[in-house]
């Protein structure tokens, strides 16, 4: 069962747009797949290599802006920017890693946080290039969501398989060694600085690609959206932690759950509060609904606390614990 | 050409001289003991050799090559391996994966690395633990894992930092056997040890330091009877008597 689960999931994902034809659910699935890519990238640098990044938005935004600038400044199809966005994000990651990998642990995490803010400010202030707060608007290629869905799916599958391949190789052993003990790793002949750089650049490439995909799909970006600390950087961490840090399928599970939770709050518990307000006509409930819809970050926070307390290794990492809770012997008992 | 040599090594931490003008030479194939009371600078010398700290002055020569200031991972590639006094297992990896990660410094493919790792595990007598997580090993076997990992990098010179500390008597005998076996394989060993029973039985020569300075060097018998060594360990009154 466990061996076939990924294939089964893949088949379902391939058939999904044929079975579910409304735009809203297709839109959500595209976001899920995009978050799988970002989560896979975060998992490489933070989950496997142990260098926690609070600045994934720096790479995401760089990828998105690369795609946007390809279209508006160079008049090249932003689809070319899918790869270029990844490379541009690496161009940000490279000098950053070169300097900041001298820092360890929390200090490195703080540096990534700073990178996030620096990139957001650059995108805001450099109006000649980026358009500043106005953002960039491009014409989307497709009206239907289906092509975007399959591109996102291809990217997500490639990201998961790619990360799995890397982690099975020498690089993978080195990344985990660095996470477990950097001094020991160094004494075993591992060039820790080099391999942290490789890991960060893999993460940046994947996240940058996801950013380009976002630009192509949404058609509009501004600095507050794509360089957002809480909607991109923190969300990436949540996808990683909820799914399971340092597991291959953790980001996949994490992306599903986090996009669902995000949507759950954004829609006010799937329209529950709005419906309640309309039903009762109460002004107080209308106001409450508004606050609940804005409280998704609070919801994220509570979710993370619960996950870390109950499932410290995430849903994939603690899968055995979860199956242990389920009454698996129940079927036999009811038959008797 | 001398095999391994440390020349006029000095290390200051702020105003404190942790290692002050220490020189010694190690011949190929010998077991060289480094002793001294707590805080005398033994581990610091290891840290200077493997460049976890860079020396304030002085040099480290290995097979005629000046390796002072070479990055730690390059020193491993130059075939000098070390273990840590406070063991550093890669906790959430299996014992086998710990050793495979080390073996990759010599092996080109994953297959080669696994073979080398298994071979080294057999040699060091840890093969029966290969699928356990490193963090769940008892202390004796963690120390052994340190040695196994270091051996998987195929060193010519092995620096052992208190590998016998905290072991029970039977583990102690096993550890001594293992160190002898490693020497028989042709690996030169520098060993730091507090347990006199271990260091006096296996060392060919011993170098004693106190307060970062050399106080004696010679065969175990010579060093054990040297007045400066007795003074350092037992106090002035014993040295005179």
């Amino acid at each position: 069962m466990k061996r076939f689960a990924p294939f089964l999931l893949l088949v379902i994902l391939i058939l999904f747009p044929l079975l579910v034809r409304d735009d809203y659910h297709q839109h959500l699935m595209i976001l899920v797949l995009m978050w799988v890519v970002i989560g896979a990238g975060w998992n490489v640098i933070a989950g496997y290599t142990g260098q926690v990044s609070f600045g994934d938005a720096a790479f995401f935004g760089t990828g998105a802006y690369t795609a946007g600038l390809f279209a508006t400044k160079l008049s090249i199809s932003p689809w070319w920017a899918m790869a270029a966005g990844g490379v541009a994000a690496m161009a940000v990651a490279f000098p950053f890693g070169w300097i900041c990998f001298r820092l360890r642990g929390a200090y490195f995490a703080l540096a990534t946080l700073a990178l996030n803010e620096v990139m957001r400010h650059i995108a805001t202030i450099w109006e000649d290039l980026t358009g500043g707060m106005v953002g960039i608007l491009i014409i989307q290629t497709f009206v239907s969501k289906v092509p975007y869905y399959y591109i996102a799916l291809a990217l997500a599958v490639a990201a998961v398989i790619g990360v799995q391949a890397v982690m099975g190789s020498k690089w993978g052993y080195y990344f985990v060694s660095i996470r477990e003990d950097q001094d020991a790793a160094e004494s075993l002949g591992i060039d820790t600085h080099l391999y942290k750089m490789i890991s960060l650049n893999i993460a940046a490439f994947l996240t940058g690609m996801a950013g380009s995909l976002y630009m192509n799909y949404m058609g509009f970006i501004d600095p507050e959206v794509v360089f957002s600390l809480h909607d991109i950087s923190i969300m990436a961490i949540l996808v990683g932690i909820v799914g399971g840090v340092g597991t291959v399928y953790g980001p996949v599970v994490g992306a599903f759950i986090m996009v669902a939770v995000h949507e759950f709050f954004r829609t006010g518990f799937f329209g529950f509060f709005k419906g309640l307000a309309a039903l009762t006509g109460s002004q107080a409930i209308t106001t409450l609904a508004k606050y609940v819809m804005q409280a998704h970050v609070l919801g994220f926070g509570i979710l993370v606390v619960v996950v870390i307390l109950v499932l410290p290794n995430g849903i994939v990492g603690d899968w055995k614990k979860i199956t242990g809770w389920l009454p698996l012997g129940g079927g036999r008992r009811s038959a008797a | 050409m001398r095999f391994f040599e440390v020349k006029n090594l000095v290390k200051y931490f702020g105003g404190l001289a942790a290692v002050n003008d220490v020189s010694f030479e190690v011949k190929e194939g010998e077991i060289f003991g480094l002793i001294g009371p707590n805080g005398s600078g033994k581990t610091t010398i290891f840290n200077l050799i493997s460049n976890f700290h860079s020396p304030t002055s002085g040099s480290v020569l290995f097979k005629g090559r000046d390796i002072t200031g070479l990055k730690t991972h390059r020193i491993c590639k130059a075939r000098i391996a070390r273990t840590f006094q406070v063991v550093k297992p890669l906790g959430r990896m299996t014992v086998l994966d710990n050793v495979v990660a080390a073996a990759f410094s010599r092996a080109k493919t994953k297959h080669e690395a696994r073979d080398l790792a298994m071979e080294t595990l057999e040699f060091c007598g840890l093969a029966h633990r290969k699928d356990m997580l490193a963090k769940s090993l008892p202390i004796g076997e963690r120390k052994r894992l340190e040695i196994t990992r270091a051996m998987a990098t195929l060193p010519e010179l092995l620096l052992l930092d208190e590998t016998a500390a905290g072991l029970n008597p039977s583990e102690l005998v096993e550890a001594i056997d293992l160190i002898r076996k490693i020497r028989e394989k042709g690996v030169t060993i520098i060993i730091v040890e507090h347990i006199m029973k271990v260091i006096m039985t296996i060392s060919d020569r011993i170098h004693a330091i106190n307060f970062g300075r050399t106080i004696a060097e010679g065969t175990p018998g010579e060093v054990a009877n040297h007045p400066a060594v007795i003074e350092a360990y037992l106090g002035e009154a014993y040295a005179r008597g």
Side-chain angles (χ1 to χ4, degrees):
Chain A
M1 175 60 206
K2 211 176 168 188
R3 271 177 63 196
F4 295 110
F7 295 105
L8 197 66
L9 180 67
L10 185 60
V11 170
I12 293 170
L13 286 174
I14 289 171
L15 296 176
F16 177 81
L18 308 174
L19 302 172
V20 181
R21 292 193 164 272
D22 70 299
D23 278 1
Y24 173 64
H25 288 103
Q26 289 185 354
H27 166 73
L28 286 184
M29 280 308 293
I30 292 169
L31 289 184
V32 166
L33 293 170
M34 185 188 84
W35 278 107
V36 170
V37 179
I38 299 171
W42 185 86
N43 201 24
V44 171
I45 182 67
Y48 288 117
T49 319
Q51 311 297 312
V52 176
S53 162
F54 278 86
D56 264 29
F59 309 131
F60 183 81
T62 304
Y65 267 94
T66 306
L69 294 175
F70 261 49
T72 56
K73 299 283 173 186
L74 303 173
S75 305
I76 302 172
S77 163
W79 289 109
W80 288 109
M82 287 294 282
V87 174
M90 282 166 73
V92 171
F94 198 85
F96 170 76
W98 196 262
I99 298 164
C100 293
F101 273 135
R102 284 152 222 272
L103 304 172
R104 286 192 186 186
Y107 299 98
F108 174 77
L110 286 174
T112 61
L113 192 62
L115 178 70
N116 191 148
E117 293 304 288
V118 167
M119 293 304 292
R120 188 166 60 84
H121 279 99
I122 289 175
T124 311
I125 294 164
W126 196 352
E127 291 188 354
D128 296 340
L129 184 71
T130 64
M133 290 301 285
V134 178
I136 295 179
L137 184 69
I138 63 169
I139 314 292
Q140 286 137 298
T141 322
F142 308 108
V143 178
S144 160
K145 298 209 182 285
V146 176
Y148 293 107
Y149 177 87
Y150 282 115
I151 291 164
L153 179 62
L155 204 57
V157 170
V160 170
I161 291 175
V163 168
Q164 197 169 13
V166 165
M167 291 316 298
S169 74
K170 170 176 157 178
W171 286 5
Y173 280 92
Y174 278 13
F175 292 169
V176 178
S177 302
I178 291 168
R179 176 186 78 193
E180 292 300 317
D181 195 310
Q182 200 174 317
D183 288 336
E186 187 76 24
S187 82
L188 299 177
I190 299 170
D191 186 344
T192 52
H193 193 263
L194 173 70
Y195 284 95
K196 285 194 286 187
M197 286 292 287
I198 292 175
S199 173
L200 180 68
N201 278 280
I202 292 172
F205 184 75
L206 289 174
T207 314
M209 295 255 280
S212 300
L213 174 72
Y214 183 84
M215 174 82 239
N216 276 298
Y217 172 55
M218 300 300 275
F220 172 73
I221 52 169
D222 75 33
E224 295 298 325
V225 172
V226 293
F227 287 114
S228 162
L229 180 64
H230 61 270
D231 278 343
I232 307 291
S233 294
I234 303 292
M235 179 91 165
I237 297 171
L238 296 177
V239 167
I241 289 177
V242 170
V245 172
T247 59
V248 173
Y249 294 105
V252 180
V253 174
F256 270 99
I257 291 172
M258 287 319 296
V259 170
V261 170
H262 188 274
E263 202 58 18
F264 186 59
F265 275 93
R266 200 185 61 79
T267 56
F269 296 0
F270 294 132
F272 172 76
F273 278 99
K274 257 189 187 156
L276 201 65
L279 203 68
T280 57
S282 156
Q283 193 60 44
I285 292 180
T286 314
T287 317
L288 181 67
K290 205 179 86 194
Y291 284 123
V292 165
M293 286 159 74
Q294 288 170 350
H296 68 273
V297 181
L298 178 69
F300 286 2
I302 293 168
L303 182 71
V304 167
V305 170
V306 170
V307 165
I308 288 177
L309 283 178
V310 182
L311 303 166
N313 299 317
I315 290 169
V316 174
D318 278 330
W319 185 246
K320 279 201 182 118
K321 211 165 156 185
I322 297 172
T323 51
W325 294 335
L326 300 174
L328 288 176
R332 218 179 309 145
R333 244 176 283 137
S334 61
Chain B
M1 186 181 67
R2 285 168 175 161
F3 181 71
F4 180 80
E5 196 180 4
V6 164
K7 264 198 212 158
N8 307 102
L9 214 52
V10 177
K11 177 65 185 180
Y12 275 92
F13 289 115
L16 177 82
V19 176
N20 198 350
D21 200 21
V22 169
S23 303
F24 58 81
E25 190 201 323
V26 180
K27 296 192 190 78
E28 189 162 7
E30 78 177 338
I31 296 181
F32 187 82
L34 199 56
I35 63 167
N38 288 327
S40 58
K42 305 178 298 289
T43 298
T44 307
I45 289 176
F46 273 15
N47 282 340
L48 293 176
I49 294 172
S50 56
N51 201 25
F52 271 92
H53 305 309
S54 46
T56 308
S57 68
S59 53
V60 182
L61 303 168
F62 183 54
K63 294 201 288 183
R65 180 177 166 211
D66 189 349
I67 59 162
T68 326
L70 219 58
K71 286 223 171 78
T72 302
H73 62 91
R74 294 227 173 269
I75 288 184
C76 171
K77 297 263 185 200
R79 297 191 186 268
I80 299 180
R82 71 167 293 179
T83 67
F84 292 93
Q85 179 182 3
V86 180
V87 290
K88 294 179 182 293
L90 306 174
R92 285 176 289 174
M93 291 167 84
T94 63
V95 168
L96 178 62
D97 284 350
N98 264 263
V99 186
V100 170
F104 266 122
S105 64
R106 299 290 162 220
K108 285 198 177 60
T109 64
K110 193 174 165 183
H111 193 76
E112 269 179 50
R114 277 184 71 96
D115 286 351
L116 175 56
M118 270 319 292
E119 205 179 288
T120 316
L121 280 168
E122 300 277 355
F123 177 79
C124 297
L126 211 53
H128 59 295
R129 296 284 194 221
K130 70 181 170 71
D131 295 322
M132 266 176 85
L133 284 184
K135 67 177 176 186
S136 52
L137 289 179
I139 183 69
E141 287 178 330
R142 284 188 196 198
K143 295 248 174 190
R144 192 162 281 243
L145 176 60
E146 286 277 316
I147 300 176
T148 312
R149 241 171 25 187
M151 284 302 291
T153 67
L154 302 179
E156 290 174 27
L157 176 65
L158 180 62
L159 312 178
L160 296 175
D161 198 349
E162 300 212 14
T163 41
L167 301 187
N168 66 34
S170 71
E171 286 171 335
L172 213 55
V173 173
E174 286 171 21
I176 292 172
D177 282 348
L178 178 60
I179 293 167
R180 287 217 167 104
K181 236 170 84 180
I182 291 169
R183 190 251 290 268
E184 276 160 30
K185 227 183 170 188
V187 179
T188 310
I189 295 169
I190 303 180
I191 179 167
V192 162
E193 195 50 79
H194 262 309
I195 302 176
M196 286 300 143
K197 183 186 158 199
V198 175
I199 200 134
M200 290 297 166
T201 46
I202 61 175
S203 303
D204 298 313
R205 284 190 306 135
I206 290 178
H207 188 96
I209 56 172
N210 196 18
F211 297 116
R213 285 180 180 278
T214 301
I215 52 174
E217 191 184 298
T219 62
E222 285 166 14
V223 169
N225 295 317
H226 196 287
V229 175
I230 296 169
E231 186 190 324
Y233 276 89
L234 299 173
E236 217 177 312
Y238 285 88
R240 259 179 308 177

